[in-house]
Amino acid sequence: MRPLVGHTKDVRAVAYCPDGRLVSGGSDRTVRFWDLTTGETIHKLSAKTPIYAIAVSPQDGTIAYSGRHPGAESDETPIRTYHLDQHLTGYTFRCPSMTPPPDAAPYYPNGVPRSLWSLSYSADGQYLAAAGRVMGGGNSPVGGGGHWFRSDNAAALGPLATARAFALRFAPDGHRLAVTGDGSVEFYAHPMDQAPVISYPLQSQWAGAVAFVSGTPNAVVGVNSALYFVDAKEKRKPFKVKTGFRAITAIAPVPNGRAVIVGGRPEGVDVYDSTNGALMTRYDFGLGTVHAVATAPDGLTFAVAGDDGLALFDWDL
């Protein structure tokens, strides 16, 4: 395990660039780019609010990042983009607040503010999708819906069909999109579609993470303390695996499709066989609650972001 020292608060998001470089963001309101040979920050961006989500375009390495709603200063949550190689700022996409229900109108005249917790680029880099969260009853987060965007045209956008979207992920090929929210996980052939190709009910109103398994028709969904393994192309009976987490917060498939890495709270990282759901191994890096995990393009390293920092682990699956 190799710690990456630089963030001064909890680290909420982490992702690998296509060339193997690492990018992370957190509650210290910074986005950091890392030299993994030296373990040092090679570039840093400052943000106005805590960063909860990062996505990297598989095509050109464009980085998108977003997080907490900016508050009274705006009725939209910005998604900023950055081109590391050119050190150039790209488009800023703006995710509108949710339309307020009638009984909330006096309190949120411009919409219910949502923070963005999930970002994903399509495999060809043409689309960016975002999902958010809003505070529900008992001060607990619930799905806040989301939007899709054309990555080359900031004016081309639209709402996701899942009104209470919570987490999302594009497939490693094509434009297929998985979205969790409101007691279900839905799979769309295209982010603009208004009806899912396949939908599975879940035993919870929200699911904190979803990911496609490379080289297979399957996807994995984190629902409270359980993993659901589902077929994303042909509806079949899913199988469920109980984990040791109270809440699953992150899922990252290994590039060869043989395993999925799962993080959550109270702490730790589990590795599960993607074919039968068997627990392969468990790690505890002393990072507290794990908020995000990511696997390197070569599959030989994974990164873990948590309450107490950011770390790398080299392994041979």
Side-chain angles (χ1 to χ4, degrees):
M1 192 268 283
R2 293 183 285 155
L4 298 179
V5 179
H7 285 288
T8 58
K9 293 185 178 180
D10 52 310
V11 185
R12 294 286 182 145
V14 64
Y16 280 91
C17 299
D19 62 5
R21 286 181 291 187
L22 192 72
V23 57
S24 62
S27 293
D28 62 357
R29 305 184 182 196
T30 68
V31 175
R32 293 176 179 266
F33 300 86
W34 301 89
D35 182 328
L36 299 186
T37 301
T38 65
E40 297 180 349
T41 298
I42 57 176
H43 192 64
K44 182 179 76 171
L45 301 174
S46 296
K48 293 184 177 180
T49 63
I51 300 301
Y52 296 152
I54 289 174
V56 181
S57 170
Q59 291 301 310
D60 60 8
T62 298
I63 291 92
Y65 60 96
S66 189
R68 184 178 296 173
H69 185 273
E73 64 187 72
S74 174
D75 60 355
E76 299 174 314
T77 305
I79 305 167
R80 306 188 191 280
T81 60
Y82 189 77
H83 306 283
L84 178 59
D85 289 337
Q86 296 83 24
H87 292 287
L88 292 175
T89 299
Y91 287 122
T92 295
F93 303 95
R94 301 193 178 277
C95 196
S97 294
M98 291 180 66
T99 301
D103 59 352
Y107 304 99
Y108 300 111
N110 296 319
V112 179
R114 59 180 156 198
S115 298
L116 295 183
W117 286 74
S118 191
L119 294 172
S120 184
Y121 273 104
S122 60
D124 58 9
Q126 291 184 5
Y127 291 92
L128 175 67
R133 302 179 190 180
V134 298
M135 300 312 295
N139 208 34
S140 297
V142 296
H147 268 61
W148 61 266
F149 306 86
R150 279 284 305 199
S151 60
D152 58 355
N153 182 356
L157 76 162
L160 298 177
T162 305
R164 285 289 185 178
F166 196 93
L168 52 78
R169 186 76 63 89
F170 273 104
D173 58 346
H175 292 149
R176 291 182 298 142
L177 181 67
V179 185
T180 72
D182 203 17
S184 68
V185 58
E186 298 176 338
F187 297 92
Y188 295 85
H190 194 282
M192 297 172 60
D193 289 353
Q194 292 303 299
V197 177
I198 294 176
S199 177
Y200 292 93
L202 301 174
Q203 294 177 335
S204 175
Q205 287 303 110
W206 66 272
V210 61
F212 288 89
V213 180
S214 300
T216 78
N218 302 326
V220 184
V221 191
V223 187
N224 293 329
S225 61
L227 290 174
Y228 284 73
F229 291 78
V230 302
D231 191 316
K233 290 187 174 181
E234 182 178 349
K235 193 159 187 178
R236 303 174 186 271
K237 184 179 180 179
F239 67 89
K240 176 181 174 182
V241 175
K242 184 73 172 178
T243 74
F245 299 111
R246 286 200 300 270
I248 294 169
T249 54
I251 298 173
V254 174
N256 63 15
R258 291 174 56 191
V260 292
I261 301 173
V262 181
R265 61 174 185 265
E267 59 186 320
V269 173
D270 289 352
V271 182
Y272 290 87
D273 188 306
S274 61
T275 60
N276 58 22
L279 177 64
M280 300 172 67
T281 188
R282 177 174 172 77
Y283 304 99
D284 185 353
F285 302 121
L287 298 177
T289 293
V290 171
H291 299 292
V293 291
T295 53
D298 62 9
L300 300 179
T301 304
F302 66 85
V304 184
D307 275 348
D308 297 320
L310 176 67
L312 297 177
F313 185 76
D314 300 316
W315 71 337
D316 184 355
L317 179 63

